[in-house]
Amino acid sequence: MSLVGLARDLNVFFKCNINLPLYQEEIPSFSLNFINTEKEKCSSISFLKLEVKSTPEVYKDYLENYFKDLGIKKNNFFTDVSNYVNYEMGQPTHCYDYESIEGTIYLELNKDPSKFTTLLGKKLALDNEDLVFRDDMGIINIAGIMGGLRVACKKSTTKVLIECAYFQPESIIGKAIKYDIHSDASHKFERGVDPLSHDKVLRRVINIIQDHCEIAELKLHSEDYNVFKDNDLNFDVQVVNNILGSDVSEIFYRESLDKLGFKISPTNKIHIPTFRHDISQQNDLAEELARVIGYDNLPLQSLKFDKSKTILEPNLKKKLKSFFVDNGFTESINMPFIGESLVNSKTIQVDNPLDSNREYLRTNLTNSLIENVIYNEKRQKDSIKLFEMSDIYYLNKGEIVKESKIAVIVSGRLGLNYSDFSKKLDKSFLTDLFKLFDYDIEDRIIEVDRALLDSKIKTPIYALEIPTNLLLSSIIDIETSDGFANTSKQYKPISEFPSSYRDFSFSISNEAMLEPFMSCINESKSKYLKDFYMFDFFNNKKNNHIKVGFRFIFQSDVGTLKESDVSLEVNSLLKPILLIDSVDIPGRNKNP
């Protein structure tokens, strides 16, 4: 993710010079008041203390063109150099105004909710457990994301402290999205940077600064807490040829790896450089060779399918899905990969996972559905009925077993209507649902332990998971609609912002006005209205009086709704309803 990285890849086709000018002199060390309490999350860090006599008025062409060609706005000299080196070498650095730092610098997990203003002036409320730099006055940097305004460099800054660190990607991932402060630094730290590049990067920084002005002071403080182990793989061209279906020679493979920056020892071991932390096995090396050969140049092989298999089972599975849709369930489709926390003795580890945090195949569907329930609860969904039908894979006596499973999960209200609004989804709901099948599921229903979940909601969660084939024989005789016949439906992204709801009890003093009232309700539309439903209905035939309760749900796709936003929506919705003769809301003005 840098000019050097691109040049390194292109070097296999063109001879590229990736040796940038670096500062060659010895850099004196100094003792910095720095305490790192999170050495596992930041295992290597350097601080360069640098002072110049004055900053330049004009940049050299190579630095000036970076801003001109890419249309990037300049900040101040030190930040501009830092951004340019990040662009060149792929390693972010951060510049502090040295004179603005108060006392000791700490790298630690934030212990208490804290207010923080970024160098762009955005005010944030930081949660516990965020990795931060702080001095004696407070937080000065969200590690790997963005620095603070108080210690930011200014155009007048001449004395600077430049931080160059390696952060464990897992400690950075998600923070930029969480606080909506995306930065080039976070993008790179989330994906991993070269942990052994600090000396070269800082020497490049010094070289550019020295190329523009006179340096008055130069000192370095470095700390390394972890010895990075060499990663070596066997050099075996036949293995990668088998993976790709190719037939390249050993000489071609060796030359390609050498041009990409890999070193091969006399004992035929491929040394993986630290800037290629994505390489861990032969499949990864095969991908490198495939890029060199060109994917379009790899030999073609026809896919062969067994046409003798019956189409009966897929049709029965489709009908089974329709059964659950008919009964108010929504189908979930989840990734089959899980993290280490859900591993058991039967779990299969994937050789080349798409995500290093999810490198195992799940052995059940229920855990995925539990995550779906929590996701929906956090978005104020209070009637959740989900099902998933998928294959799982597990080990049995050393053999890989594939099994088709169906899982269902329920929580919350029985339904969003006046007859079911006050009833809860429970174990009996599932047992009643499965009575149509020739299979007793009572002993298979589990209640999920809420104490183990990241949720404050207390509503019980009930789940069931069984082999699909136990239901297929019965579904033949069960009447279902074609729940998947409507192909015109399109996916609508779920808003990440909270919803708001308003409940209203309408009084209708003339039964003849019920139909126009319902028509008006059903035609309700507004900018933020996401859903509405009737949760109460009472018809007092004695005095010809009807009471109807409706819930209106509002939500924005671009931000959190204010009280004033919801009030405007409500007034707009209620106005035509309250104009209907004999319809009012007790205690509310008919002309709001």
Side-chain angles (χ1 to χ4, degrees):
M1 292 183 286
S2 64
L3 291 182
V4 169
L6 288 172
R8 196 183 288 124
D9 271 3
L10 291 172
N11 191 56
V12 76
F13 307 108
F14 315 99
K15 188 169 179 59
C16 299
N17 179 18
I18 57 176
N19 296 316
L20 298 168
L22 306 177
Y23 180 76
Q24 298 296 332
E25 304 298 323
E26 183 178 345
I27 306 174
S29 61
F30 80 108
S31 180
L32 178 70
N33 290 329
F34 173 65
I35 298 174
N36 184 354
T37 64
E38 295 297 328
K39 294 181 174 64
E40 286 189 7
K41 292 179 170 58
C42 175
S43 54
S44 178
I45 190 167
S46 296
F47 293 92
L48 182 68
K49 181 182 176 184
L50 189 147
E51 183 179 4
V52 298
K53 292 190 174 180
S54 63
T55 55
E57 296 281 337
V58 180
Y59 294 167
K60 297 289 181 73
D61 286 348
Y62 64 89
L63 185 56
E64 183 67 37
N65 289 340
Y66 162 68
F67 298 96
K68 182 180 177 181
D69 294 346
L70 300 182
I72 297 173
K73 185 180 178 181
K74 295 178 183 176
N75 293 285
N76 58 76
F77 176 59
F78 293 110
T79 302
D80 291 345
V81 172
S82 172
N83 290 339
Y84 176 72
V85 172
N86 181 21
Y87 176 69
E88 270 193 331
M89 305 184 73
Q91 168 67 47
T93 56
H94 185 74
C95 301
Y96 305 90
D97 184 306
Y98 189 83
E99 303 292 352
S100 301
I101 297 172
E102 300 288 343
T104 303
I105 298 175
Y106 302 85
L107 176 60
E108 61 187 18
L109 289 179
N110 190 33
K111 299 179 180 64
D112 302 302
S114 308
K115 292 183 178 180
F116 174 71
T117 304
T118 72
L119 54 81
L120 298 179
K122 184 171 184 176
K123 295 182 179 180
L124 304 174
L126 301 186
D127 290 344
N128 298 355
E129 304 304 309
D130 287 328
L131 187 64
V132 298
F133 287 92
R134 67 166 66 243
D135 64 6
D136 292 345
M137 293 288 289
I139 296 172
I140 59 175
N141 190 353
I142 307 176
I145 309 294
M146 187 171 289
L149 185 62
R150 175 169 62 85
V151 293
C153 289
K154 301 173 282 291
K155 290 187 177 180
S156 59
T157 299
T158 57
K159 195 171 185 179
V160 68
L161 188 68
I162 304 175
E163 163 223 319
C164 186
Y166 172 80
F167 299 109
Q168 185 186 48
E170 288 76 15
S171 65
I172 306 298
I173 289 172
K175 297 295 190 297
I177 293 175
K178 178 180 178 182
Y179 295 114
D180 191 25
I181 47 171
H182 301 278
S183 64
D184 193 45
S186 67
H187 183 80
K188 289 175 179 173
F189 280 128
E190 285 178 350
R191 288 153 180 80
V193 295
D194 183 357
L196 302 185
S197 67
H198 297 179
D199 182 68
K200 185 180 289 187
V201 167
L202 290 175
R203 287 181 178 277
R204 178 60 179 155
V205 169
I206 297 168
N207 175 268
I208 295 173
I209 292 174
Q210 190 179 49
D211 201 21
H212 284 81
C213 51
E214 185 178 349
I215 296 176
E217 183 183 21
L218 185 65
K219 291 182 179 179
L220 181 68
H221 177 91
S222 294
E223 296 186 14
D224 293 302
Y225 322 106
N226 185 27
V227 177
F228 288 91
K229 297 178 181 178
D230 288 340
N231 181 17
D232 293 335
L233 295 172
N234 291 329
F235 178 87
D236 193 333
V237 69
Q238 193 54 52
V239 169
V240 294
N241 274 330
N242 289 342
I243 293 171
L244 297 176
S246 56
D247 187 26
V248 303
S249 68
E250 184 175 303
I251 294 174
F252 179 83
Y253 182 42
R254 186 182 296 271
E255 288 178 348
S256 298
L257 290 176
D258 181 66
K259 289 176 181 178
L260 289 169
F262 298 88
K263 302 302 177 187
I264 303 168
S265 72
T267 58
N268 267 359
K269 291 287 185 180
I270 303 171
H271 176 68
I272 312 301
T274 53
F275 57 76
R276 289 307 306 269
H277 49 80
D278 57 318
I279 305 293
S280 62
Q281 54 179 288
Q282 296 292 337
N283 287 300
D284 300 323
L285 292 173
E287 288 183 9
E288 296 301 301
L289 182 61
R291 292 194 298 124
V292 174
I293 296 170
Y295 288 105
D296 291 342
N297 298 325
L298 290 171
L300 299 176
Q301 291 185 2
S302 300
L303 295 174
K304 296 180 180 179
F305 299 96
D306 184 359
K307 297 179 181 178
S308 64
K309 287 190 175 181
T310 177
I311 62 170
L312 178 61
E313 184 176 308
N315 285 341
L316 290 179
K317 286 184 175 180
K318 186 176 179 181
K319 188 173 183 182
L320 185 57
K321 288 183 178 184
S322 294
F323 169 79
F324 287 105
V325 171
D326 291 347
N327 283 278
F329 281 76
T330 300
E331 183 181 16
S332 287
I333 301 175
N334 291 295
M335 289 286 285
F337 306 108
I338 58 172
E340 197 166 358
S341 62
L342 297 175
V343 168
N344 58 47
S345 59
K346 294 184 176 182
T347 307
I348 299 169
Q349 186 172 13
V350 181
D351 282 344
N352 55 337
L354 295 171
D355 181 351
S356 60
N357 293 316
R358 291 176 175 264
E359 55 181 333
Y360 302 91
L361 287 172
R362 60 181 176 172
T363 55
N364 67 70
L365 308 182
T366 302
N367 286 332
S368 299
L369 289 179
I370 292 171
E371 289 183 6
N372 297 155
V373 169
I374 300 302
Y375 179 88
N376 279 276
E377 286 181 344
K378 288 181 177 179
R379 284 150 184 82
Q380 296 85 42
K381 306 298 181 184
D382 56 0
S383 178
I384 301 170
K385 293 185 279 188
L386 304 172
F387 78 93
E388 181 174 8
M389 187 186 299
S390 184
D391 294 332
I392 62 168
Y393 300 84
Y394 58 90
L395 293 171
N396 183 22
K397 297 180 180 179
E399 297 293 322
I400 295 177
V401 178
K402 170 185 172 183
E403 187 174 6
S404 177
K405 287 286 194 81
I406 186 163
V408 297
I409 197 163
V410 296
S411 181
R413 302 183 188 279
L414 182 60
L416 301 181
N417 55 70
Y418 70 90
S419 61
D420 296 331
F421 188 75
S422 60
K423 300 174 185 176
K424 299 294 184 183
L425 290 161
D426 54 17
K427 189 174 181 179
S428 63
F429 168 79
L430 289 178
T431 54
D432 290 344
L433 180 70
F434 279 82
K435 280 180 179 177
L436 291 171
F437 296 94
D438 186 21
Y439 184 73
D440 183 9
I441 52 92
E442 179 131 12
D443 292 338
R444 287 181 174 265
I445 299 173
I446 63 167
E447 181 176 352
V448 177
D449 187 354
R450 279 279 189 181
L452 302 177
L453 306 182
D454 178 23
S455 173
K456 296 179 181 178
I457 296 174
K458 304 299 182 184
T459 309
I461 301 174
Y462 294 95
L464 166 72
E465 182 167 340
I466 55 178
T468 309
N469 59 17
L470 295 178
L471 304 181
L472 292 183
S473 58
S474 301
I475 197 66
I476 296 175
D477 300 321
I478 296 175
E479 199 71 33
T480 67
S481 66
D482 189 354
F484 294 86
N486 188 352
T487 58
S488 64
K489 289 184 179 179
Q490 293 186 347
Y491 169 73
K492 293 182 180 179
I494 298 172
S495 174
E496 293 295 323
F497 299 97
S499 63
S500 295
Y501 68 85
R502 298 291 184 272
D503 292 343
F504 293 99
S505 180
F506 296 93
S507 176
I508 306 172
S509 56
N510 182 353
E511 188 175 355
M513 292 294 104
L514 178 61
E515 187 174 337
F517 165 78
M518 291 301 297
S519 296
C520 191
I521 287 279
N522 289 327
E523 292 170 5
S524 295
K525 290 180 182 178
S526 76
K527 185 178 180 181
Y528 300 123
L529 183 64
K530 287 292 181 181
D531 198 8
F532 60 89
Y533 55 86
M534 184 194 302
F535 64 84
D536 190 26
F537 184 88
F538 177 71
N539 188 354
N540 189 333
K541 294 187 179 288
K542 268 188 178 182
N543 57 11
N544 191 28
H545 203 98
I546 298 172
K547 287 188 177 180
V548 186
F550 265 93
R551 173 167 291 183
F552 297 91
I553 301 172
F554 305 93
Q555 190 176 35
S556 169
D557 294 326
V558 296
T560 301
L561 291 176
K562 300 176 184 176
E563 178 65 31
S564 56
D565 296 326
V566 178
S567 294
L568 285 172
E569 295 282 300
V570 167
N571 289 337
S572 174
L573 286 171
L574 295 183
K575 189 173 183 179
I577 299 172
L578 294 177
L579 288 176
I580 300 172
D581 186 42
S582 303
V583 175
D584 62 25
I585 298 173
R588 185 182 179 94
N589 190 340
K590 281 182 73 73
N591 298 296

